[in-house]
Amino acid sequence: MTANVSSAQPVSPTPSPLHAVVADDFAAVNRTIVEQLNSKVPLVETIGQYITESGGKRLRPLLALLAARSLNYSGDKHIPLATLIEFMHTSTLLHDDVVDESHMRRGKKTANDAWGNAPSVLVGDFLYARSFQMMVDVGSMRIMAILSGATCIIAEGEVLQLTNIGNPSISEEDYFETILGKTAMLFEAASHSGAVLAEATPEQERALQYYGRYLGLAFQLIDDLLDYQGDADAMGKNVGDDLAEGKPTLPLIHAMEQGTPEQAKLIRQVIRNGGLDQLDAVLEIIHATGALDYTRQRAEEMADKALQQLDALPPSAYRDSMAQLARLAVDRQA
């Protein structure tokens, strides 16, 4: 199966102070991504390059680099570590787009739309397998335990989200359990494994583990908020996509809790049925109940908790970048 998709040069994240402090490391990660996509099966390389060159921020590998460097790590294992974490993330994107039947991501065709579901799933499997090969090369049983454990939790989070689609009865607690698994866990594993690689003290290791967790929660909360007020061109997807899929995210959960019985009934029906026929009515209820303000407040709480964890680290430009990243998580528009 082929797709009419033009070849592209490797795409790095837009330069920013966050990446600048580890610019050489990041360039090495980008080179390693290209090297590790090597396969005797051309379609594996084609799809792998397409998805990894789609212009993402690569925050998870950035976290691994910043965590290790913030503790004065001077070796070279942080490069394959960051690369394999990006491969784990890319694999979940390929699988998610198939499950969600998505057609666009970051303003481009999804791989499943371009090549079909089966190749996308199988290339996702290849990237997972390659990431585990690279874990062996990193040579730390503790890091293998962290990342393999995270893989299981991420898979459970994805299944949990799938079972929650069309279910308007999930609680805020259920929602946080879902986003902890499907999003925050890989953030946590990235910063935690970077700390372990740098031989952190127990206090520093725990701080970087929870920094990643809270950052990931803040990031997903803002993602779910932007689904109802974001800029479609900037996000690379349409406003209301979560609603169309029947995903009960925090803006909807809070709106049902705070709205009138009639408002809650309408949202419950839309979650069950999916679609965008009632988008305007749902947006009106979300704004009337302060659901977006509440979601942003919870995201800011998570970002503040992430910032507090950084007190355990020595002052450095790397710690400063992690602090900026926590603020960026809640200030972004895409």
Side-chain angles (χ1 to χ4, degrees):
M1 184 177 296
T2 60
N4 185 21
V5 179
S6 61
S7 61
Q9 295 300 312
V11 175
S12 298
T14 303
S16 75
L18 299 175
H19 296 94
V21 74
V22 287
D24 291 343
D25 289 340
F26 222 81
V29 169
N30 288 329
R31 290 193 299 271
T32 307
I33 286 172
V34 174
E35 293 166 2
Q36 292 296 327
L37 282 173
N38 177 59
S39 170
K40 64 182 180 182
V41 181
L43 187 58
V44 170
E45 289 190 3
T46 299
I47 297 178
Q49 289 171 0
Y50 181 77
I51 189 69
T52 57
E53 294 169 0
S54 294
K57 300 179 183 71
R58 294 187 181 163
L59 295 181
R60 295 151 190 85
L62 176 62
L63 274 183
L65 297 175
L66 290 173
R69 289 300 199 187
S70 73
L71 297 173
N72 300 313
Y73 179 71
S74 59
D76 59 5
K77 297 295 187 182
H78 61 315
I79 303 302
L81 174 62
T83 303
L84 74 88
I85 287 170
E86 179 65 6
F87 279 3
M88 290 174 67
H89 175 56
T90 302
S91 176
T92 64
L93 297 185
L94 285 164
H95 291 162
D96 288 354
D97 286 342
V98 170
V99 171
D100 294 340
E101 300 179 1
S102 299
H103 302 288
M104 296 291 290
R105 179 179 287 277
R106 300 167 184 157
K108 293 177 60 175
K109 277 187 174 185
T110 55
N112 52 293
D113 193 71
W115 285 277
N117 287 343
S120 294
V121 170
L122 294 172
V123 172
D125 291 346
F126 168 84
L127 291 175
Y128 253 137
R130 180 54 53 86
S131 72
F132 275 82
Q133 278 187 322
M134 296 180 72
M135 280 182 217
V136 175
D137 293 338
V138 171
S140 166
M141 286 300 296
R142 284 211 60 215
I143 289 175
M144 287 191 71
I146 290 166
L147 294 175
S148 59
T151 300
C152 292
I153 293 172
I154 291 165
E156 289 175 338
E158 293 293 350
V159 174
L160 191 58
Q161 177 176 259
L162 183 64
T163 59
N164 287 338
I165 288 177
N167 177 12
S169 299
I170 74 164
S171 65
E172 185 171 323
E173 182 180 357
D174 296 330
Y175 164 81
F176 272 96
E177 181 183 359
T178 300
I179 67 170
L180 173 62
K182 83 180 196 70
T183 299
M185 184 49 58
L186 191 52
F187 279 79
E188 176 179 326
S191 55
H192 190 189
S193 57
V196 170
L197 186 66
E199 299 181 348
T201 67
E203 179 190 11
Q204 291 169 335
E205 182 182 325
R206 186 179 186 280
L208 280 168
Q209 175 186 357
Y210 280 88
Y211 165 82
R213 175 180 299 189
Y214 294 132
L215 178 67
L217 291 172
F219 195 87
Q220 185 60 52
L221 282 158
I222 295 298
D223 257 12
D224 292 344
L225 180 155
L226 290 174
D227 194 65
Y228 292 99
Q229 72 170 32
D231 182 293
D233 290 335
M235 293 190 299
K237 65 174 188 174
N238 295 317
V239 171
D241 277 357
D242 288 348
L243 184 69
E245 296 172 19
K247 291 181 180 177
T249 57
L250 188 59
L252 296 183
I253 294 168
H254 186 76
M256 285 188 289
E257 290 177 349
Q258 299 300 315
T260 65
E262 292 77 16
Q263 289 172 327
K265 180 180 179 182
L266 185 147
I267 292 178
R268 292 175 70 88
Q269 289 174 341
V270 173
I271 291 173
R272 287 195 187 99
N273 299 329
L276 294 174
D277 293 344
Q278 299 290 332
L279 176 60
D280 289 341
V282 170
L283 288 174
E284 184 177 336
I285 296 169
I286 284 174
H287 287 291
T289 56
L292 296 184
D293 289 340
Y294 178 73
T295 302
R296 181 170 294 280
Q297 174 191 327
R298 295 308 312 272
E300 289 173 349
E301 289 175 10
M302 296 301 115
D304 286 344
K305 287 184 175 182
L307 285 168
Q308 290 168 14
Q309 305 307 311
L310 299 180
D311 291 343
L313 305 182
S316 70
Y318 308 109
R319 189 181 76 172
D320 292 344
S321 289
M322 285 190 280
Q324 292 175 37
L325 188 53
R327 288 187 285 268
L328 173 66
V330 293
D331 291 340
R332 64 197 174 88
Q333 298 300 315

